[in-house]
Amino acid sequence: MIDQRSRLRRLHWIKRWIYRGDRPHAIAKLLNRYWSSQYRSGSRLARSRDVELEVRGRSSGRPIRFPIVLADVDNVWYAVSMLGANANWVRNVQAANGVALVRHGGSWNVRLTEVPPTRRAPILKRYLDIAPGARPHFPIDRSAPLSRFESIAPDYPTFRVDGFTPGERV
């Protein structure tokens, strides 16, 4: 058990390191490109919640694409920023008034609406349950009580994703 915890700590350190400063560095960018292609195509390696999100860049105006994992709570899909409020995709979504495109073996025009911090705790808890790659970026364990998630909720922007229905393609 101790050996497994030690390995997990090293893995978490590596994941935090490739996103140091809350920005993807060279290795993370390479991995993101790979996973984005897998998620976009809806390959066997991608679950229905693993999607490519495309949003217009707030400065360049060019489409920006990246892989994310959507959390489902009460039959509603949510996008969570594992890197917090300073993540570029969060600022791009806010600048685009929530207009985005989701791809997973098809395309969906979606609207992302920011969830108030007071309603984020159960979404964050669910997100950590289904997105193991995000766990190193959160200061609490996924098994923490909901009250602990309430205390960190303001630091992790969360968006309701309207218009994404896996299994139904546009």
Side-chain angles (χ1 to χ4, degrees):
M1 184 69 158
I2 291 173
D3 187 40
Q4 182 181 5
R5 282 187 184 154
S6 176
R7 275 186 270 150
L8 276 177
R9 270 194 295 271
R10 278 189 302 243
L11 182 61
H12 284 197
W13 179 86
I14 290 168
K15 288 184 178 191
R16 283 191 303 271
W17 180 76
I18 66 174
Y19 282 97
R20 60 194 179 277
D22 292 335
R23 300 183 71 82
H25 290 268
I27 295 169
K29 287 179 182 178
L30 182 67
L31 290 170
N32 284 348
R33 272 195 297 274
Y34 171 76
W35 285 112
S36 196
S37 71
Q38 295 299 309
Y39 292 4
R40 174 179 52 247
S41 69
S43 79
R44 285 186 285 144
L45 297 176
R47 304 165 295 177
S48 62
R49 70 179 67 257
D50 300 331
V51 301
E52 178 186 66
L53 184 66
E54 179 182 303
V55 66
R56 188 152 310 280
R58 67 190 179 285
S59 299
S60 68
R62 293 178 306 134
I64 309 294
R65 298 174 188 93
F66 47 90
I68 64 170
V69 175
L70 299 179
D72 58 320
V73 177
D74 298 328
N75 295 317
V76 178
W77 292 99
Y78 296 93
V80 175
S81 173
M82 72 179 187
L83 298 177
N86 289 326
N88 274 328
W89 77 264
V90 170
R91 292 184 289 185
N92 288 335
V93 165
Q94 291 166 336
N97 294 316
V99 174
L101 186 68
V102 165
R103 289 193 179 97
H104 178 89
S107 295
W108 293 264
N109 291 310
V110 296
R111 165 92 46 197
L112 280 69
T113 307
E114 196 158 358
V115 175
T118 56
R119 296 190 40 236
R120 292 179 187 168
I123 301 164
L124 296 177
K125 188 168 181 59
R126 173 68 177 149
Y127 180 67
L128 286 188
D129 280 342
I130 53 98
R135 294 175 193 155
H137 304 284
F138 280 75
I140 60 175
D141 187 73
R142 66 185 174 139
S143 61
L146 212 50
S147 61
R148 295 277 314 278
F149 284 92
E150 289 168 356
S151 68
I152 66 161
D155 300 329
Y156 293 92
T158 302
F159 298 86
R160 187 181 73 238
V161 181
D162 294 317
F164 176 60
T165 51
E168 295 177 20
R169 293 186 167 85
V170 174

